[in-house]
Amino acid sequence: MKLLRYGEVGSERPGLLDQDGTIRDLSAYVADIAGTALHPASLDMLSKLDPKSLPAVSDKPRLGACVAGTGKFICIGLNYSDHAAETGATVPPEPIIFMKASSAIVGPDDDVLIPRGSVKTDWEVELGVVIGKTAKYVSEDDALDYVAGYCVAHDVSERAFQAERQGQWTKGKSCDTFGPIGPWLVTKDEIADPQNLKMWLTVNGRTMQNGSTRTMVYGVKYLVSYLSQFMSLQPGDIISTGTPPGVGLGMKPPVFLKPGDVVELGIEGMGQQKQTFKADE
């Protein structure tokens, strides 16, 4: 299934995308794409519905973030071997973990605001992993049992805030609108191998990132298991698993985003996003 949330900010409704590309409303069955709706039993119930029996959404609404109620937005740094090489960093012996504030989450096509004082706003296409049931001390073999599905995540980053100011990376990752998610939560049954997905990103029509999850250092199973040794993972939590090469920071000279730039990005089988970058007044 391709689950989604549609409507104005703060008033999103749950839905799914049928095989014809029509949005179908799920409000009669779940209150939102969040919490217990992400549990395997709930997803199984939704999968048995006949999409044509659900109300069709006739207009083309705004799409919100594909999951609501996210308590933790966990990011993994330098998790692609070719991205680490372009930044001059070595592959870490264990995953680098940092948090992105959940207040950064927006819809896949919402405008992204370049924060005041920013001179190094950058892009990162990433595979997002959405947790479906509570995971604590899980094994790598069982890890995918706790995953509801996957989505496109844009880990927008302000490199000066991230690396040139004192402290941790979080403040360069958590600015408002720096976490577009969606357009869909694609349930895991539709993704045969999360470690073999093409992913891409363009800026103003120019291809900047053209990679694959094949070069991920620590894969989805490992990350879910690894993180669950340190913290419980709850339904709706998102793991953003790192980015392939082609970020602005890695270019010579570096290239960063400015107001008016348009970024498009996508992952095989998961749809795509499109954002216009604007100054945050």
Side-chain angles (χ1 to χ4, degrees), residues 33-40 67-74 99 102 105 129-138 143 145-149 185 223-225 227-239:
I33 307 301
T36 56
L38 299 169
H39 192 274
V67 63
T70 297
K72 294 190 289 296
F73 196 161
I74 307 167
M99 295 289 192
S102 59
I105 295 174
V129 178
V130 180
I131 298 300
K133 65 177 183 178
T134 301
K136 187 173 183 179
Y137 302 128
V138 303
D145 293 343
Y146 298 84
V147 172
L185 166 59
L223 290 173
V224 172
S225 174
L227 291 167
S228 77
Q229 309 307 309
F230 304 101
M231 64 191 86
S232 61
L233 302 175
Q234 306 294 333
D237 284 353
I238 299 169
I239 305 169

mmCIF file of all heavy atoms in Angstrom, residues 33-40 67-74 99 102 105 129-138 143 145-149 185 223-225 227-239:
data_model
loop_
_atom_site.group_PDB
_atom_site.id
_atom_site.type_symbol
_atom_site.label_atom_id
_atom_site.label_comp_id
_atom_site.label_asym_id
_atom_site.label_seq_id
_atom_site.Cartn_x
_atom_site.Cartn_y
_atom_site.Cartn_z
ATOM 1 N N ILE A 33 -2.652 8.458 9.902
ATOM 2 C CA ILE A 33 -1.545 7.523 9.644
ATOM 3 C C ILE A 33 -0.532 7.758 10.756
ATOM 4 O O ILE A 33 0.436 8.501 10.618
ATOM 5 C CB ILE A 33 -0.932 7.755 8.246
ATOM 6 C CG1 ILE A 33 -2.015 7.730 7.167
ATOM 7 C CG2 ILE A 33 0.129 6.688 7.959
ATOM 8 C CD1 ILE A 33 -2.801 6.430 7.087
ATOM 9 N N ALA A 34 -0.809 7.148 11.881
ATOM 10 C CA ALA A 34 -0.033 7.417 13.103
ATOM 11 C C ALA A 34 -0.337 6.338 14.126
ATOM 12 O O ALA A 34 -1.360 5.641 14.043
ATOM 13 C CB ALA A 34 -0.398 8.790 13.675
ATOM 14 N N GLY A 35 0.566 6.208 15.103
ATOM 15 C CA GLY A 35 0.315 5.361 16.263
ATOM 16 C C GLY A 35 -0.114 3.954 15.910
ATOM 17 O O GLY A 35 0.524 3.250 15.127
ATOM 18 N N THR A 36 -1.254 3.531 16.489
ATOM 19 C CA THR A 36 -1.698 2.151 16.320
ATOM 20 C C THR A 36 -2.083 1.832 14.874
ATOM 21 O O THR A 36 -2.131 0.662 14.495
ATOM 22 C CB THR A 36 -2.898 1.853 17.230
ATOM 23 O OG1 THR A 36 -3.944 2.802 16.964
ATOM 24 C CG2 THR A 36 -2.497 1.952 18.706
ATOM 25 N N ALA A 37 -2.350 2.846 14.065
ATOM 26 C CA ALA A 37 -2.664 2.594 12.651
ATOM 27 C C ALA A 37 -1.480 2.005 11.912
ATOM 28 O O ALA A 37 -1.650 1.415 10.839
ATOM 29 C CB ALA A 37 -3.116 3.885 11.977
ATOM 30 N N LEU A 38 -0.282 2.153 12.468
ATOM 31 C CA LEU A 38 0.932 1.642 11.836
ATOM 32 C C LEU A 38 1.271 0.223 12.279
ATOM 33 O O LEU A 38 2.194 -0.391 11.742
ATOM 34 C CB LEU A 38 2.107 2.567 12.155
ATOM 35 C CG LEU A 38 1.960 4.012 11.667
ATOM 36 C CD1 LEU A 38 3.046 4.889 12.280
ATOM 37 C CD2 LEU A 38 2.020 4.077 10.150
ATOM 38 N N HIS A 39 0.531 -0.288 13.248
ATOM 39 C CA HIS A 39 0.795 -1.635 13.770
ATOM 40 C C HIS A 39 0.505 -2.668 12.676
ATOM 41 O O HIS A 39 -0.379 -2.472 11.829
ATOM 42 C CB HIS A 39 -0.081 -1.898 14.990
ATOM 43 C CG HIS A 39 0.301 -3.122 15.756
ATOM 44 N ND1 HIS A 39 -0.174 -4.380 15.433
ATOM 45 C CD2 HIS A 39 1.123 -3.283 16.816
ATOM 46 C CE1 HIS A 39 0.342 -5.263 16.269
ATOM 47 N NE2 HIS A 39 1.130 -4.631 17.116
ATOM 48 N N PRO A 40 1.239 -3.782 12.680
ATOM 49 C CA PRO A 40 1.009 -4.803 11.648
ATOM 50 C C PRO A 40 -0.442 -5.236 11.498
ATOM 51 O O PRO A 40 -0.924 -5.425 10.372
ATOM 52 C CB PRO A 40 1.899 -5.960 12.109
ATOM 53 C CG PRO A 40 3.010 -5.299 12.855
ATOM 54 C CD PRO A 40 2.396 -4.120 13.548
ATOM 55 N N VAL A 67 3.366 10.467 7.605
ATOM 56 C CA VAL A 67 3.124 9.875 8.920
ATOM 57 C C VAL A 67 3.015 11.003 9.928
ATOM 58 O O VAL A 67 3.675 12.043 9.796
ATOM 59 C CB VAL A 67 4.254 8.881 9.305
ATOM 60 C CG1 VAL A 67 5.595 9.577 9.418
ATOM 61 C CG2 VAL A 67 3.938 8.147 10.598
ATOM 62 N N ALA A 68 2.139 10.823 10.920
ATOM 63 C CA ALA A 68 1.935 11.827 11.959
ATOM 64 C C ALA A 68 2.368 11.268 13.311
ATOM 65 O O ALA A 68 2.593 10.063 13.465
ATOM 66 C CB ALA A 68 0.470 12.248 11.997
ATOM 67 N N GLY A 69 2.469 12.152 14.280
ATOM 68 C CA GLY A 69 2.779 11.717 15.644
ATOM 69 C C GLY A 69 4.186 11.194 15.814
ATOM 70 O O GLY A 69 4.438 10.367 16.705
ATOM 71 N N THR A 70 5.112 11.677 15.003
ATOM 72 C CA THR A 70 6.496 11.217 15.104
ATOM 73 C C THR A 70 7.133 11.743 16.387
ATOM 74 O O THR A 70 7.253 12.954 16.573
ATOM 75 C CB THR A 70 7.306 11.685 13.879
ATOM 76 O OG1 THR A 70 6.752 11.087 12.711
ATOM 77 C CG2 THR A 70 8.773 11.313 14.006
ATOM 78 N N GLY A 71 7.523 10.827 17.249
ATOM 79 C CA GLY A 71 8.178 11.231 18.497
ATOM 80 C C GLY A 71 9.665 11.444 18.322
ATOM 81 O O GLY A 71 10.244 12.361 18.915
ATOM 82 N N LYS A 72 10.297 10.601 17.501
ATOM 83 C CA LYS A 72 11.738 10.698 17.270
ATOM 84 C C LYS A 72 12.015 10.687 15.771
ATOM 85 O O LYS A 72 11.494 9.841 15.042
ATOM 86 C CB LYS A 72 12.472 9.529 17.949
ATOM 87 C CG LYS A 72 12.387 9.552 19.473
ATOM 88 C CD LYS A 72 13.311 8.523 20.110
ATOM 89 C CE LYS A 72 12.847 7.086 19.923
ATOM 90 N NZ LYS A 72 11.548 6.814 20.587
ATOM 91 N N PHE A 73 12.829 11.637 15.353
ATOM 92 C CA PHE A 73 13.289 11.723 13.965
ATOM 93 C C PHE A 73 14.797 11.507 14.051
ATOM 94 O O PHE A 73 15.563 12.423 14.315
ATOM 95 C CB PHE A 73 12.945 13.099 13.402
ATOM 96 C CG PHE A 73 13.018 13.211 11.903
ATOM 97 C CD1 PHE A 73 12.362 14.253 11.259
ATOM 98 C CD2 PHE A 73 13.715 12.300 11.119
ATOM 99 C CE1 PHE A 73 12.411 14.398 9.880
ATOM 100 C CE2 PHE A 73 13.779 12.434 9.738
ATOM 101 C CZ PHE A 73 13.116 13.490 9.126
ATOM 102 N N ILE A 74 15.206 10.254 13.859
ATOM 103 C CA ILE A 74 16.595 9.851 14.090
ATOM 104 C C ILE A 74 17.334 9.804 12.760
ATOM 105 O O ILE A 74 16.856 9.189 11.805
ATOM 106 C CB ILE A 74 16.646 8.455 14.748
ATOM 107 C CG1 ILE A 74 15.772 8.422 16.005
ATOM 108 C CG2 ILE A 74 18.082 8.071 15.086
ATOM 109 C CD1 ILE A 74 15.511 7.020 16.532
ATOM 110 N N MET A 99 19.808 13.670 16.072
ATOM 111 C CA MET A 99 18.370 13.882 15.996
ATOM 112 C C MET A 99 18.042 15.112 15.153
ATOM 113 O O MET A 99 18.759 16.104 15.175
ATOM 114 C CB MET A 99 17.783 14.077 17.403
ATOM 115 C CG MET A 99 17.899 12.860 18.297
ATOM 116 S SD MET A 99 16.800 11.521 17.772
ATOM 117 C CE MET A 99 16.913 10.434 19.200
ATOM 118 N N SER A 102 11.349 17.047 15.518
ATOM 119 C CA SER A 102 10.124 16.674 14.808
ATOM 120 C C SER A 102 9.380 17.902 14.291
ATOM 121 O O SER A 102 8.570 17.795 13.358
ATOM 122 C CB SER A 102 9.222 15.830 15.716
ATOM 123 O OG SER A 102 8.887 16.544 16.890
ATOM 124 N N ILE A 105 9.390 18.668 10.472
ATOM 125 C CA ILE A 105 8.657 17.857 9.503
ATOM 126 C C ILE A 105 7.600 18.680 8.771
ATOM 127 O O ILE A 105 6.817 19.411 9.392
ATOM 128 C CB ILE A 105 7.998 16.658 10.202
ATOM 129 C CG1 ILE A 105 9.078 15.717 10.763
ATOM 130 C CG2 ILE A 105 7.081 15.898 9.248
ATOM 131 C CD1 ILE A 105 8.522 14.578 11.603
ATOM 132 N N VAL A 129 12.812 5.287 7.156
ATOM 133 C CA VAL A 129 12.240 4.041 7.667
ATOM 134 C C VAL A 129 11.249 4.414 8.766
ATOM 135 O O VAL A 129 11.610 5.122 9.716
ATOM 136 C CB VAL A 129 13.334 3.118 8.243
ATOM 137 C CG1 VAL A 129 12.726 1.841 8.808
ATOM 138 C CG2 VAL A 129 14.379 2.802 7.180
ATOM 139 N N VAL A 130 10.003 3.969 8.632
ATOM 140 C CA VAL A 130 8.967 4.302 9.601
ATOM 141 C C VAL A 130 8.674 3.081 10.474
ATOM 142 O O VAL A 130 8.378 1.995 9.968
ATOM 143 C CB VAL A 130 7.677 4.768 8.898
ATOM 144 C CG1 VAL A 130 6.602 5.113 9.927
ATOM 145 C CG2 VAL A 130 7.964 5.976 8.007
ATOM 146 N N ILE A 131 8.773 3.275 11.777
ATOM 147 C CA ILE A 131 8.557 2.187 12.737
ATOM 148 C C ILE A 131 7.053 1.936 12.906
ATOM 149 O O ILE A 131 6.260 2.874 12.972
ATOM 150 C CB ILE A 131 9.208 2.528 14.088
ATOM 151 C CG1 ILE A 131 10.723 2.697 13.926
ATOM 152 C CG2 ILE A 131 8.902 1.443 15.135
ATOM 153 C CD1 ILE A 131 11.446 1.463 13.412
ATOM 154 N N GLY A 132 6.674 0.650 12.977
ATOM 155 C CA GLY A 132 5.271 0.284 13.079
ATOM 156 C C GLY A 132 4.841 -0.233 14.439
ATOM 157 O O GLY A 132 3.660 -0.152 14.797
ATOM 158 N N LYS A 133 5.777 -0.792 15.206
ATOM 159 C CA LYS A 133 5.457 -1.241 16.563
ATOM 160 C C LYS A 133 6.703 -1.094 17.417
ATOM 161 O O LYS A 133 7.822 -1.018 16.906
ATOM 162 C CB LYS A 133 4.940 -2.682 16.570
ATOM 163 C CG LYS A 133 5.948 -3.740 16.133
ATOM 164 C CD LYS A 133 5.339 -5.141 16.243
ATOM 165 C CE LYS A 133 6.361 -6.225 15.865
ATOM 166 N NZ LYS A 133 5.791 -7.592 16.011
ATOM 167 N N THR A 134 6.498 -1.049 18.725
ATOM 168 C CA THR A 134 7.591 -0.762 19.646
ATOM 169 C C THR A 134 8.719 -1.778 19.509
ATOM 170 O O THR A 134 8.492 -2.995 19.542
ATOM 171 C CB THR A 134 7.086 -0.755 21.099
ATOM 172 O OG1 THR A 134 6.066 0.250 21.216
ATOM 173 C CG2 THR A 134 8.213 -0.446 22.071
ATOM 174 N N ALA A 135 9.919 -1.261 19.337
ATOM 175 C CA ALA A 135 11.106 -2.099 19.175
ATOM 176 C C ALA A 135 12.087 -1.783 20.301
ATOM 177 O O ALA A 135 12.463 -0.633 20.493
ATOM 178 C CB ALA A 135 11.763 -1.831 17.821
ATOM 179 N N LYS A 136 12.495 -2.804 21.019
ATOM 180 C CA LYS A 136 13.471 -2.641 22.095
ATOM 181 C C LYS A 136 14.315 -3.907 22.175
ATOM 182 O O LYS A 136 13.776 -5.009 22.302
ATOM 183 C CB LYS A 136 12.761 -2.385 23.426
ATOM 184 C CG LYS A 136 13.707 -2.040 24.567
ATOM 185 C CD LYS A 136 12.928 -1.624 25.814
ATOM 186 C CE LYS A 136 13.880 -1.213 26.936
ATOM 187 N NZ LYS A 136 13.146 -0.785 28.142
ATOM 188 N N TYR A 137 15.614 -3.746 22.048
ATOM 189 C CA TYR A 137 16.546 -4.877 22.081
ATOM 190 C C TYR A 137 16.195 -5.937 21.034
ATOM 191 O O TYR A 137 16.162 -7.131 21.335
ATOM 192 C CB TYR A 137 16.602 -5.507 23.472
ATOM 193 C CG TYR A 137 17.008 -4.568 24.581
ATOM 194 C CD1 TYR A 137 16.235 -4.454 25.738
ATOM 195 C CD2 TYR A 137 18.159 -3.786 24.478
ATOM 196 C CE1 TYR A 137 16.601 -3.589 26.762
ATOM 197 C CE2 TYR A 137 18.533 -2.916 25.497
ATOM 198 C CZ TYR A 137 17.757 -2.820 26.637
ATOM 199 O OH TYR A 137 18.112 -1.961 27.646
ATOM 200 N N VAL A 138 15.904 -5.525 19.823
ATOM 201 C CA VAL A 138 15.542 -6.495 18.800
ATOM 202 C C VAL A 138 16.787 -6.968 18.051
ATOM 203 O O VAL A 138 17.790 -6.258 17.949
ATOM 204 C CB VAL A 138 14.517 -5.916 17.807
ATOM 205 C CG1 VAL A 138 13.277 -5.434 18.547
ATOM 206 C CG2 VAL A 138 15.107 -4.808 16.972
ATOM 207 N N ALA A 143 14.476 -7.488 12.805
ATOM 208 C CA ALA A 143 14.318 -6.029 12.768
ATOM 209 C C ALA A 143 13.185 -5.570 11.859
ATOM 210 O O ALA A 143 12.419 -4.660 12.209
ATOM 211 C CB ALA A 143 15.634 -5.376 12.348
ATOM 212 N N ASP A 145 10.450 -6.841 11.216
ATOM 213 C CA ASP A 145 9.127 -7.083 11.786
ATOM 214 C C ASP A 145 8.578 -5.827 12.452
ATOM 215 O O ASP A 145 7.367 -5.719 12.678
ATOM 216 C CB ASP A 145 9.168 -8.209 12.819
ATOM 217 C CG ASP A 145 9.474 -9.559 12.204
ATOM 218 O OD1 ASP A 145 9.340 -9.692 10.964
ATOM 219 O OD2 ASP A 145 9.858 -10.478 12.956
ATOM 220 N N TYR A 146 9.451 -4.897 12.780
ATOM 221 C CA TYR A 146 9.067 -3.681 13.495
ATOM 222 C C TYR A 146 8.926 -2.471 12.573
ATOM 223 O O TYR A 146 8.632 -1.377 13.026
ATOM 224 C CB TYR A 146 10.089 -3.389 14.600
ATOM 225 C CG TYR A 146 10.143 -4.493 15.627
ATOM 226 C CD1 TYR A 146 10.918 -5.635 15.415
ATOM 227 C CD2 TYR A 146 9.381 -4.436 16.789
ATOM 228 C CE1 TYR A 146 10.946 -6.676 16.337
ATOM 229 C CE2 TYR A 146 9.402 -5.461 17.717
ATOM 230 C CZ TYR A 146 10.183 -6.581 17.478
ATOM 231 O OH TYR A 146 10.194 -7.604 18.397
ATOM 232 N N VAL A 147 9.125 -2.692 11.294
ATOM 233 C CA VAL A 147 9.067 -1.611 10.309
ATOM 234 C C VAL A 147 7.697 -1.612 9.632
ATOM 235 O O VAL A 147 7.238 -2.645 9.140
ATOM 236 C CB VAL A 147 10.182 -1.786 9.252
ATOM 237 C CG1 VAL A 147 10.005 -0.789 8.106
ATOM 238 C CG2 VAL A 147 11.547 -1.609 9.900
ATOM 239 N N ALA A 148 7.042 -0.436 9.617
ATOM 240 C CA ALA A 148 5.773 -0.308 8.905
ATOM 241 C C ALA A 148 6.001 -0.119 7.416
ATOM 242 O O ALA A 148 5.262 -0.650 6.586
ATOM 243 C CB ALA A 148 4.968 0.870 9.465
ATOM 244 N N GLY A 149 7.027 0.670 7.081
ATOM 245 C CA GLY A 149 7.294 0.921 5.673
ATOM 246 C C GLY A 149 8.372 1.965 5.485
ATOM 247 O O GLY A 149 9.123 2.286 6.431
ATOM 248 N N LEU A 185 3.830 6.766 2.520
ATOM 249 C CA LEU A 185 4.435 5.704 3.316
ATOM 250 C C LEU A 185 4.165 4.411 2.548
ATOM 251 O O LEU A 185 3.016 3.976 2.432
ATOM 252 C CB LEU A 185 3.802 5.649 4.707
ATOM 253 C CG LEU A 185 4.086 4.396 5.548
ATOM 254 C CD1 LEU A 185 5.575 4.205 5.771
ATOM 255 C CD2 LEU A 185 3.348 4.455 6.877
ATOM 256 N N LEU A 223 20.406 -1.020 11.346
ATOM 257 C CA LEU A 223 20.112 0.237 12.035
ATOM 258 C C LEU A 223 18.959 0.089 13.026
ATOM 259 O O LEU A 223 19.030 0.609 14.146
ATOM 260 C CB LEU A 223 19.789 1.326 11.015
ATOM 261 C CG LEU A 223 20.967 1.809 10.173
ATOM 262 C CD1 LEU A 223 20.480 2.758 9.090
ATOM 263 C CD2 LEU A 223 22.029 2.488 11.042
ATOM 264 N N VAL A 224 17.894 -0.611 12.623
ATOM 265 C CA VAL A 224 16.775 -0.797 13.544
ATOM 266 C C VAL A 224 17.232 -1.563 14.780
ATOM 267 O O VAL A 224 16.934 -1.181 15.923
ATOM 268 C CB VAL A 224 15.612 -1.521 12.849
ATOM 269 C CG1 VAL A 224 14.519 -1.904 13.859
ATOM 270 C CG2 VAL A 224 15.022 -0.642 11.746
ATOM 271 N N SER A 225 17.976 -2.636 14.572
ATOM 272 C CA SER A 225 18.480 -3.410 15.694
ATOM 273 C C SER A 225 19.438 -2.588 16.557
ATOM 274 O O SER A 225 19.314 -2.547 17.793
ATOM 275 C CB SER A 225 19.196 -4.670 15.182
ATOM 276 O OG SER A 225 19.813 -5.363 16.236
ATOM 277 N N LEU A 227 19.817 0.743 16.897
ATOM 278 C CA LEU A 227 19.179 1.824 17.650
ATOM 279 C C LEU A 227 18.359 1.289 18.814
ATOM 280 O O LEU A 227 18.303 1.912 19.888
ATOM 281 C CB LEU A 227 18.295 2.647 16.712
ATOM 282 C CG LEU A 227 19.026 3.496 15.668
ATOM 283 C CD1 LEU A 227 18.051 4.011 14.617
ATOM 284 C CD2 LEU A 227 19.765 4.651 16.333
ATOM 285 N N SER A 228 17.742 0.120 18.626
ATOM 286 C CA SER A 228 16.889 -0.430 19.678
ATOM 287 C C SER A 228 17.676 -0.902 20.893
ATOM 288 O O SER A 228 17.086 -1.184 21.935
ATOM 289 C CB SER A 228 16.050 -1.585 19.129
ATOM 290 O OG SER A 228 16.814 -2.775 18.994
ATOM 291 N N GLN A 229 18.996 -0.982 20.772
ATOM 292 C CA GLN A 229 19.823 -1.335 21.936
ATOM 293 C C GLN A 229 20.002 -0.136 22.874
ATOM 294 O O GLN A 229 20.349 -0.304 24.045
ATOM 295 C CB GLN A 229 21.206 -1.834 21.492
ATOM 296 C CG GLN A 229 21.194 -2.929 20.441
ATOM 297 C CD GLN A 229 20.339 -4.118 20.806
ATOM 298 O OE1 GLN A 229 20.456 -4.679 21.894
ATOM 299 N NE2 GLN A 229 19.465 -4.518 19.881
ATOM 300 N N PHE A 230 19.752 1.072 22.343
ATOM 301 C CA PHE A 230 20.002 2.292 23.122
ATOM 302 C C PHE A 230 18.724 3.028 23.503
ATOM 303 O O PHE A 230 18.707 3.799 24.465
ATOM 304 C CB PHE A 230 20.900 3.246 22.320
ATOM 305 C CG PHE A 230 22.193 2.625 21.904
ATOM 306 C CD1 PHE A 230 22.369 2.161 20.610
ATOM 307 C CD2 PHE A 230 23.231 2.467 22.810
ATOM 308 C CE1 PHE A 230 23.566 1.571 20.214
ATOM 309 C CE2 PHE A 230 24.433 1.875 22.425
ATOM 310 C CZ PHE A 230 24.597 1.427 21.132
ATOM 311 N N MET A 231 17.662 2.826 22.734
ATOM 312 C CA MET A 231 16.396 3.511 22.998
ATOM 313 C C MET A 231 15.282 2.681 22.379
ATOM 314 O O MET A 231 15.499 1.991 21.379
ATOM 315 C CB MET A 231 16.395 4.916 22.381
ATOM 316 C CG MET A 231 16.477 4.936 20.864
ATOM 317 S SD MET A 231 16.796 6.561 20.153
ATOM 318 C CE MET A 231 18.609 6.583 20.225
ATOM 319 N N SER A 232 14.113 2.726 22.967
ATOM 320 C CA SER A 232 12.983 2.053 22.324
ATOM 321 C C SER A 232 12.543 2.877 21.129
ATOM 322 O O SER A 232 12.583 4.115 21.148
ATOM 323 C CB SER A 232 11.826 1.868 23.312
ATOM 324 O OG SER A 232 11.354 3.121 23.769
ATOM 325 N N LEU A 233 12.150 2.190 20.084
ATOM 326 C CA LEU A 233 11.613 2.830 18.895
ATOM 327 C C LEU A 233 10.099 2.656 18.914
ATOM 328 O O LEU A 233 9.602 1.551 19.132
ATOM 329 C CB LEU A 233 12.206 2.195 17.637
ATOM 330 C CG LEU A 233 13.738 2.238 17.539
ATOM 331 C CD1 LEU A 233 14.218 1.463 16.315
ATOM 332 C CD2 LEU A 233 14.251 3.661 17.511
ATOM 333 N N GLN A 234 9.387 3.749 18.693
ATOM 334 C CA GLN A 234 7.943 3.742 18.832
ATOM 335 C C GLN A 234 7.256 3.905 17.477
ATOM 336 O O GLN A 234 7.844 4.435 16.531
ATOM 337 C CB GLN A 234 7.513 4.891 19.760
ATOM 338 C CG GLN A 234 8.200 4.907 21.111
ATOM 339 C CD GLN A 234 7.833 3.728 21.979
ATOM 340 O OE1 GLN A 234 6.741 3.174 21.835
ATOM 341 N NE2 GLN A 234 8.717 3.334 22.890
ATOM 342 N N PRO A 235 5.983 3.468 17.376
ATOM 343 C CA PRO A 235 5.254 3.658 16.124
ATOM 344 C C PRO A 235 5.271 5.122 15.683
ATOM 345 O O PRO A 235 4.986 6.023 16.485
ATOM 346 C CB PRO A 235 3.834 3.199 16.467
ATOM 347 C CG PRO A 235 4.029 2.212 17.575
ATOM 348 C CD PRO A 235 5.175 2.732 18.383
ATOM 349 N N GLY A 236 5.616 5.336 14.434
ATOM 350 C CA GLY A 236 5.693 6.692 13.903
ATOM 351 C C GLY A 236 7.075 7.298 13.952
ATOM 352 O O GLY A 236 7.321 8.326 13.303
ATOM 353 N N ASP A 237 7.985 6.706 14.704
ATOM 354 C CA ASP A 237 9.370 7.179 14.683
ATOM 355 C C ASP A 237 9.944 6.983 13.279
ATOM 356 O O ASP A 237 9.603 6.020 12.579
ATOM 357 C CB ASP A 237 10.231 6.413 15.683
ATOM 358 C CG ASP A 237 9.994 6.844 17.127
ATOM 359 O OD1 ASP A 237 9.261 7.824 17.342
ATOM 360 O OD2 ASP A 237 10.552 6.189 18.025
ATOM 361 N N ILE A 238 10.794 7.908 12.877
ATOM 362 C CA ILE A 238 11.411 7.861 11.547
ATOM 363 C C ILE A 238 12.919 7.741 11.695
ATOM 364 O O ILE A 238 13.532 8.464 12.493
ATOM 365 C CB ILE A 238 11.077 9.132 10.741
ATOM 366 C CG1 ILE A 238 9.566 9.258 10.536
ATOM 367 C CG2 ILE A 238 11.801 9.130 9.395
ATOM 368 C CD1 ILE A 238 9.139 10.611 9.992
ATOM 369 N N ILE A 239 13.505 6.837 10.945
ATOM 370 C CA ILE A 239 14.965 6.749 10.837
ATOM 371 C C ILE A 239 15.336 7.218 9.432
ATOM 372 O O ILE A 239 14.919 6.619 8.446
ATOM 373 C CB ILE A 239 15.470 5.308 11.054
ATOM 374 C CG1 ILE A 239 14.979 4.751 12.388
ATOM 375 C CG2 ILE A 239 17.002 5.269 10.985
ATOM 376 C CD1 ILE A 239 15.226 3.254 12.549
#
